[in-house]
Amino acid sequence: MERKALVVGATGIQGTAVADQLVLDGWTVYGLSRTPQLQDGVTPVAADLLQPETLAKALDGIAPTHVFLTTWLRRDTEAENIRVNAAMLRNLFDALREKGSVQHTALVTGLKHYLGPFEAYGKGTLPKTPFREDQGRLNVENFYYAQEDEVFAAAERDGFGWSIHRPHTVIGKAVGNAMNMGTTLAVYATICRETGRPFRFPGSAVQWNSLTDMTDARQLAAQAIWAATTPAARNQDFNIVNGDVFRWSWMWHRIADWFGIKAEEFDGTVRPLEEQMRDDAGIWAGIAERHGLSEHDLSRLVSPWHTDADLGRPIEVVTDMSKSRKLGFTGYQATDEAFFDLFERLRADGILPSN
C-alpha cells in the first residue's frame, strides 16, 4: 500500500525535517501549514486548524495513511494553550475521520512533559533525571497532556495507532520559528564577531556545569518515521535526543571556535540574551545589508526568550533513550556536529555571512 503522509506544521523546525526525510524515503507527502512554503517533493496544503470549515475543504481529496503532528500555538496562559491546542487536533481528526485512511498518528511534544508548562517551568517537585517515559505526568495542567488526550481519544474512536515523541531542545533550520536555539546562537555569535562584543554565556551556573543533551531535528524525524512503521512501537511514548551528553562549558567554546571568536569564560552571572540582544535589530539589519543576506528582520531569526529559558534552568536536564533503543531505534547524532551542520546550512542559504 502506498504510504501517504500528512505533516502538520510542515514549515517548522520539526516538520521540515520530517517532511524532508519522508520525501527521501519515497513517501507521498502533504505539508499542512497556514502559510506553506516551497518544499521539494511536498504538496502544500494551506489550512488553519482553528477553522474547521476551511480545514475540511483544504483536505478534500487527501487521504493520508500517516499523520505527523509537529505544530502548536502559544497563548498568554496555560488554560488558553490547552483550549487552543486541543481544539486544533480535535478539528483535524474530525476532518480526517470520514476518510477512514489514517493508520498511525505521531505527535511531537517535548520535555515540558517532565519539566512543566511555561507558567510552572522547572518549578515544584520534578522527576529525577534522566527523564524516563514511565515517570508519567506532573500534577499540573499542561497543553502537552491535552494534545496527547486528543490523540488517544481519536485513535480509540477511529482505530489507528499512535506514538508520542518528546525531544529536548531541537536543532534545525526554519525561519520565523518561535523556538530556535541553534539559529539564535548563530546570529548572536555573528553579531559578536561583527561588533567585537564578548561572546557571553547567557544562562545559569547549573547549565554551564551540568550534563545535558539536545535533539537534532533529523534525529527526531528518523524516530517518528521509525515508530510510524514499526509494529512494536505502536501506541508507545518515546523520548528522543541525539544520544550524547555534554556540558555547556565545553559546547560554548566549540560554537565560538566555529565562528572564529573567543568565548568569554562564565563568571556565574546570568546575562539573558533578551537583554544582550535587546537593541540588535538595527545592528543585524546593517550586517545583512553589508553581506547581502536573505533575512534582514532579526525577529524572524532569533528567539532569545526560549534560549534563555533553556540555558537558565536551575536543574540538570538529561534524557533517557532506553525505551526506543530496546525496540530497535539506533539513531545517533553528535550534538556539536548538529550545530555545525545547521550553521553550514544557514551560510549556504544566505542567512549567515559566508565567512
Side-chain angles (χ1 to χ4, degrees):
M1 180 180 296
E2 182 183 6
R3 289 173 171 172
K4 299 179 180 179
L6 176 66
V7 181
V8 182
T11 60
I13 290 177
Q14 301 165 352
T16 297
V18 171
D20 287 348
Q21 188 58 56
L22 288 166
V23 170
L24 288 174
D25 291 348
W27 291 53
T28 298
V29 182
Y30 300 92
L32 187 151
S33 63
R34 284 174 294 174
T35 53
Q37 300 172 8
L38 183 63
Q39 295 173 270
D40 289 344
V42 178
T43 300
V45 180
D48 187 335
L49 296 183
L50 291 175
Q51 297 181 3
E53 301 83 3
T54 58
L55 175 61
K57 183 177 180 180
L59 292 172
D60 185 41
I62 299 173
T65 57
H66 296 72
V67 177
F68 297 86
L69 300 169
T70 67
T71 190
W72 65 286
L73 287 178
R74 186 180 182 186
R75 291 294 185 256
D76 290 337
T77 67
E78 193 60 20
E80 275 297 290
N81 283 335
I82 291 169
R83 184 187 68 81
V84 168
N85 287 281
M88 289 166 59
L89 297 196
R90 192 160 53 250
N91 291 340
L92 176 67
F93 291 129
D94 285 348
L96 293 174
R97 180 165 304 124
E98 65 181 34
K99 300 176 186 294
S101 61
V102 178
Q103 301 171 14
H104 187 96
T105 292
L107 169 67
V108 179
T109 60
L111 292 196
K112 284 189 287 295
H113 182 94
Y114 308 108
L115 288 163
F118 292 111
E119 292 178 0
Y121 188 66
K123 300 175 183 178
T125 302
L126 300 172
K128 295 184 182 299
T129 59
F131 295 136
R132 294 181 171 87
E133 294 89 346
D134 61 6
Q135 290 168 320
R137 295 179 174 183
L138 300 175
N139 187 26
V140 61
E141 294 296 311
N142 189 325
F143 83 89
Y144 281 172
Y145 306 160
Q147 286 182 310
E148 289 183 346
D149 288 343
E150 292 295 335
V151 171
F152 299 156
E156 182 175 1
R157 181 176 55 242
D158 300 334
F160 59 77
W162 54 264
S163 58
I164 310 296
H165 305 270
R166 300 180 187 132
H168 196 169
T169 305
V170 177
I171 302 170
K173 180 180 176 294
V175 174
N177 195 271
M179 299 193 298
N180 193 337
M181 180 191 286
T183 302
T184 298
L185 293 182
V187 169
Y188 173 59
T190 300
I191 290 173
C192 289
R193 187 184 65 189
E194 295 277 329
T195 63
R197 279 164 37 184
F199 186 59
R200 289 174 170 162
F201 182 70
S204 67
V206 171
Q207 290 304 304
W208 181 256
N209 294 311
S210 298
L211 291 173
T212 191
D213 49 33
M214 293 184 72
T215 307
D216 188 303
R218 298 166 297 184
Q219 174 85 334
L220 168 62
Q223 191 198 60
I225 297 168
W226 164 81
T229 56
T230 301
R234 183 182 174 93
N235 299 347
Q236 299 289 334
D237 53 351
F238 298 110
N239 296 330
I240 175 62
V241 287
N242 287 334
D244 64 350
V245 294
F246 64 92
R247 290 183 172 87
W248 277 104
S249 57
W250 174 78
M251 186 66 77
W252 199 249
H253 288 271
R254 292 284 288 160
I255 293 173
D257 289 345
W258 196 92
F259 284 95
I261 58 179
K262 182 176 176 58
E264 183 175 271
E265 284 300 323
F266 181 59
D267 64 2
T269 302
V270 177
R271 298 182 174 89
L273 280 182
E274 276 202 299
E275 294 178 7
Q276 293 193 54
M277 302 184 74
R278 179 171 293 139
D279 300 320
D280 283 348
I283 293 173
W284 180 257
I287 292 171
E289 180 67 27
R290 288 196 304 275
H291 292 276
L293 303 182
S294 60
E295 182 55 69
H296 290 219
D297 185 350
L298 183 67
S299 67
R300 284 182 46 78
L301 296 177
V302 303
S303 50
W305 67 271
H306 173 254
T307 299
D308 286 340
D310 274 7
L311 298 185
R313 289 179 296 213
I315 58 172
E316 174 189 79
V317 179
V318 179
T319 316
D320 183 77
M321 280 274 289
S322 299
K323 185 175 181 180
S324 60
R325 297 293 192 217
K326 290 178 180 178
L327 292 176
F329 179 73
T330 59
Y332 170 84
Q333 171 65 58
T335 301
D336 57 339
E337 293 176 1
F339 273 121
F340 301 159
D341 287 349
L342 170 63
F343 301 158
E344 291 286 2
R345 282 182 282 159
L346 293 174
R347 280 187 173 177
D349 291 347
I351 293 172
L352 295 182
S354 59
N355 52 50

